[in-house]
Amino acid sequence: MNILVTGGAGFIGSHVVRLFVNRYPDYNIVNMDKLTYAGNLANLADVEERPNYTFVRADICDYERVLEILKEHKIEGIIHLAAESHVDRSIRDPFSFAQTNVMGTLSLLQAARNYWESLPEGYEGKRFYHISTDEVYGALDFDGTFFTEETKYAPHSPYSASKASSDHFVRAYHDTYGMPTIVTNCSNNYGPYQFPEKLIPLFINNIRRGKQLPVYGKGENVRDWLYVEDHARAIDIIFHRGKTADTYNIGGFNEWRNIDLIKVIIATVDRLLGNPEGASLSLIKYVTDRPGHDLRYAIDSSKLKEELGWEPSLQFEEGIERTVRWYLDNEAWMEQVTSGEYMRYYDEMYNNR
Ligand code: NAD
Ligand code: TYD
């Protein structure tokens, strides 16, 4: 199979590309990424020489170029992860979220439609798999309820509004044109290669550097955390066996209040660095809350377990230990990413194409 992964140089995308390249030597995996600040080919250094892997730098919003790439590589399956993904950035710059997440997804859908409808077999054997977030469902109270696949969309941030909109377009392409689509909504991911603007890598890095840890509001918001390789494994299963036009929620049944999670991170980093217990607790600084800050996310992923047998494989304690170790062991990656050096490098290399 020839598969296009969009956003494969980002956090989750790089784990998906790695899994598919290693697991399916007979597939051709084409990674199409614009290499924004969040895309980094160093995330894929271990697979870049593989014969079944190709990287193409392109913008999903560039319809003509996307169409060209689909044709050139005879793409049969698309796993769409490319997006602007950080809520705080979306509050500062909502337009770029509408542009990439809404218009970019639409451009990709339309290019896929144009290419696949031009083939004699049409949509037969094709799949458009859109990766989305639980944030489209809005926020839960502290009442023990969960987001299910039936929960109504109620996004609050420009990020989640743009993802919700893209989900609607994907479903519309199934209902209107018969495109074989699939959508999954996943909870917060954590693990290696996450850009250090997101809570977990930001805080690990700040603790290592003795910098303050900005806790929004009272630190009482709850997130449901899933190890990124478990998400990638779910994507593999759903890409191959998920029901066309269906939706699956993906989550780890692993809810943490931010402040409790932060204390676990502090304890783990201090222990691994050989600092006295609790040494970095004084770095915690409560700051003004994020506007529209969703109180609680919690995913019910029992449909995925019952229908396709997926379950998270990693206990949180092990996942967080592995994650902290990875960031501490990969200081050079962190330096490169926070210095912006890799951006200059790629711009020179690809001449801003
Ligand atoms: P990320 O920000 O780490 O990576 C995004 C990637 O997309 C980068 O490599 C970037 O260069 C690329 N990209 C951005 N704009 C592009 C464009 N116009 N054309 C081509 N490439 C472009 O994001 P992530 O955390 O890996 O998230 C990946 C996907 O998963 C997103 O769609 C996100 O909404 C979704 N998701 C993320 C989480 C999470 O916790 N991180 C949870 C659920 C769903
Ligand atoms: P984040 O990693 O940005 O993911 P999301 O907003 O998509 O859930 O944030 C996770 C939680 O941590 C969220 O409730 C906001 C909070 N947070 C802070 O308290 N301080 C920070 O510096 C960041 C980045 C996030």
Side-chain angles (χ1 to χ4, degrees):
M1 225 184 162
N2 300 321
I3 298 175
L4 181 78
V5 179
T6 71
F11 167 47
I12 303 172
S14 63
H15 289 276
V16 171
V17 167
R18 178 175 299 100
L19 177 69
F20 274 69
V21 165
N22 285 328
R23 189 143 192 231
Y24 302 106
D26 296 344
Y27 288 3
N28 292 310
I29 308 300
V30 180
N31 171 14
M32 185 177 90
D33 197 298
K34 183 182 174 182
L35 298 178
T36 67
Y37 78 93
N40 184 358
L41 289 181
N43 298 356
L44 287 165
D46 54 329
V47 297
E48 68 187 1
E49 299 296 335
R50 296 297 175 76
N52 62 339
Y53 172 71
T54 309
F55 173 71
V56 188
R57 189 178 195 186
D59 185 338
I60 52 167
C61 300
D62 185 347
Y63 169 81
E64 296 297 341
R65 178 88 179 104
V66 174
L67 184 59
E68 208 177 274
I69 291 164
L70 294 178
K71 287 181 179 165
E72 183 187 335
H73 296 276
K74 300 188 169 49
I75 295 299
E76 298 158 289
I78 297 176
I79 306 179
H80 175 37
L81 297 111
E84 288 294 337
S85 67
H86 189 43
V87 174
D88 294 327
R89 280 181 193 259
S90 82
I91 294 168
R92 289 197 300 270
D93 178 18
F95 279 110
S96 64
F97 282 69
Q99 176 64 14
T100 296
N101 299 357
V102 185
M103 294 308 290
T105 300
L106 183 55
S107 139
L108 189 63
L109 281 163
Q110 185 63 11
R113 177 183 164 223
N114 184 336
Y115 171 50
W116 288 340
E117 286 188 359
S118 74
L119 300 172
E121 77 278 12
Y123 289 122
E124 184 71 38
K126 308 298 187 299
R127 172 147 284 192
F128 188 108
Y129 179 178
H130 176 62
I131 307 298
S132 192
T133 165
D134 60 355
E135 304 192 24
V136 299
Y137 297 125
L140 296 165
D141 224 323
F142 295 127
D143 55 3
T145 55
F146 291 91
F147 296 134
T148 72
E149 288 80 0
E150 272 70 52
T151 304
K152 270 209 183 116
Y153 275 31
H156 296 133
S157 72
Y159 164 65
S160 53
S162 67
K163 291 295 291 187
S165 173
S166 63
D167 295 8
H168 291 318
F169 270 107
V170 173
R171 295 191 178 105
Y173 266 63
H174 170 267
D175 297 349
T176 309
Y177 308 111
M179 184 180 286
T181 59
I182 199 151
V183 177
T184 55
N185 298 83
C186 187
S187 63
N188 287 60
N189 284 215
Y190 71 100
Y193 301 112
Q194 187 167 31
F195 195 83
E197 62 186 352
K198 307 277 167 60
L199 180 74
I200 292 182
L202 176 73
F203 278 32
I204 296 171
N205 193 38
N206 281 8
I207 298 167
R208 192 172 58 80
R209 295 180 180 185
K211 286 171 65 179
Q212 283 188 334
L213 307 174
V215 179
Y216 299 162
K218 295 187 177 139
E220 282 175 343
N221 304 65
V222 169
R223 297 291 182 264
D224 179 359
W225 294 93
L226 179 68
Y227 193 67
V228 62
E229 288 180 6
D230 275 327
H231 187 191
R233 217 167 33 80
I235 291 172
D236 177 11
I237 291 169
I238 293 162
F239 179 77
H240 288 98
R241 295 197 279 119
K243 245 195 312 169
T244 296
D246 216 342
T247 294
Y248 297 89
N249 280 353
I250 309 173
F253 289 109
N254 179 41
E255 290 178 55
W256 284 83
R257 224 166 43 127
N258 286 346
I259 192 63
D260 298 331
L261 171 68
I262 289 161
K263 287 180 181 164
V264 171
I265 296 169
I266 290 173
T268 312
V269 177
D270 275 341
R271 178 168 46 78
L272 293 177
L273 287 179
N275 295 336
E277 203 180 316
S280 301
L281 281 170
S282 60
L283 296 175
I284 290 178
K285 183 173 192 314
Y286 290 94
V287 298
T288 311
D289 209 353
R290 172 190 279 174
H293 196 174
D294 286 335
L295 189 60
R296 174 174 166 257
Y297 302 143
I299 274 277
D300 178 352
S301 56
S302 46
K303 171 176 169 182
L304 179 56
K305 182 179 175 191
E306 280 154 26
E307 284 190 16
L308 300 176
W310 175 90
E311 273 185 289
S313 68
L314 210 63
Q315 290 299 312
F316 187 65
E317 290 65 28
E318 195 191 334
I320 207 76
E321 176 93 15
R322 250 198 229 182
T323 302
V324 171
R325 258 184 212 286
W326 189 87
Y327 286 100
L328 297 181
D329 289 348
N330 288 275
E331 228 175 287
W333 180 90
M334 187 60 92
E335 291 299 329
Q336 185 206 27
V337 164
T338 46
S339 71
E341 195 186 297
Y342 77 99
M343 287 290 293
R344 285 193 292 279
Y345 170 72
Y346 289 118
D347 280 342
E348 274 167 34
M349 189 161 144
Y350 292 97
N351 200 18
N352 273 327
R353 204 181 149 203

